Amino acid sequence: MNLARRASAEFTGTGLLVAAVVGSGIAATRLSPDDVGLQLLENAVATALALAALILIFGPVSGAHLNPVVSAVDWWLGRPTRTGLAGRDLLAYALAQAAGAIGGAILANLMFGLPVVTAAATARSGANLWLAETVATGGLVLLIVALARSGRAVTAPAAVGAYIGAAYWWTSSTSFANPAVTIGRMFSDTFAGIAPASAPAFLAAQIAGGLLAVAAIAWWYPGSRPAASDVVVPRAQQEATPR
């Protein structure tokens, strides 16, 4: 499939993911205004289910990365066998994901009758949160590549959705685990928002998590197998361009 088609899938998929995260957060605060725990549960369940569905929709088109760290790891691991993203593909994916995430936050704001853009004011700072983002992102990438390298990529929609839904609860940061989602959530001052001043440290932690995952993959899943094209799920067709 040509790059424009795949990038548009990443744009739309990431946008709908952020719309699900932010929109379910808004709905949760309106439906359960006095119970933060219930709000988080509602937000987590909606996000996990939406993520699984979006992987099913866009996986055959672009691989359904929906996450710049996942795309970067796909590029890195695929270099030896030329099965992953090319450099220009990685750039296109990352830009599409970031733009889609911002669009998704705007869409959620509009669907719930809020101003188009509201800069988030929720501060999320502290070494414990940064550690949580490192762990959450590393675990997500490790899961995805482990599935691909063991021939179980078909289970990715359920597995990835379950992981993120659970990580909402077992990480102190509620598992953003995605630089594009972090950027998008700056544009909605709601339950799921993150203050712009808090975002750079989250982004750094997510990158660190991706690097740790690559090291873990080299140790636990060694070898250059032609499995990069199965991240997150097998793409229907690889673009026949030099890698």
Side-chain angles (χ1 to χ4, degrees):
M1 297 210 179
N2 64 52
L3 179 56
R5 183 173 296 172
R6 289 186 283 126
S8 70
E10 289 295 304
F11 173 87
T12 306
T14 309
L16 291 175
L17 174 60
V18 173
V21 172
V22 174
S24 62
I26 297 170
T29 56
R30 293 182 179 181
L31 295 171
S32 310
D34 301 318
D35 192 332
V36 177
L38 184 55
Q39 292 171 9
L40 184 61
L41 176 62
E42 293 161 347
N43 192 203
V45 170
T47 299
L49 294 176
L51 179 55
L54 291 170
I55 293 173
L56 288 170
I57 294 169
F58 296 106
V61 182
S62 66
H65 295 180
L66 316 182
N67 186 329
V69 172
V70 172
S71 295
V73 171
D74 179 57
W75 164 76
W76 178 261
L77 296 179
R79 292 176 309 123
T81 54
R82 298 186 176 183
T83 56
L85 294 178
R88 69 183 182 111
D89 297 4
L90 172 58
L91 178 61
Y93 270 44
L95 292 175
Q97 290 155 355
I102 295 170
I106 292 172
L107 176 61
N109 289 338
L110 291 174
M111 288 193 296
F112 285 89
L114 300 176
V116 175
V117 173
T118 55
T122 303
R124 301 178 188 265
S125 183
N128 62 315
L129 299 184
W130 304 332
L131 175 61
E133 277 302 291
T134 301
V135 172
T137 308
L140 174 63
V141 173
L142 179 59
L143 168 65
I144 290 168
V145 177
L147 294 175
R149 289 203 166 182
S150 59
R152 297 174 294 159
V154 68
T155 67
V160 173
Y163 177 88
I164 291 298
Y168 258 81
W169 290 90
W170 63 263
T171 66
S172 58
S173 64
T174 66
S175 185
F176 287 42
N178 185 329
V181 169
T182 302
I183 291 170
R185 288 167 73 161
M186 292 191 297
F187 290 81
S188 183
D189 187 21
T190 55
F191 180 79
I194 179 172
S198 299
F202 265 53
L203 297 176
Q206 290 155 359
I207 293 170
L211 293 173
L212 288 174
V214 168
I217 290 159
W219 179 248
W220 288 324
Y221 292 89
S224 299
R225 294 184 56 192
S229 58
D230 289 345
V231 175
V232 172
V233 299
R235 291 192 285 274
Q237 181 180 354
Q238 292 299 304
E239 189 175 12
T241 57
R243 292 288 196 258

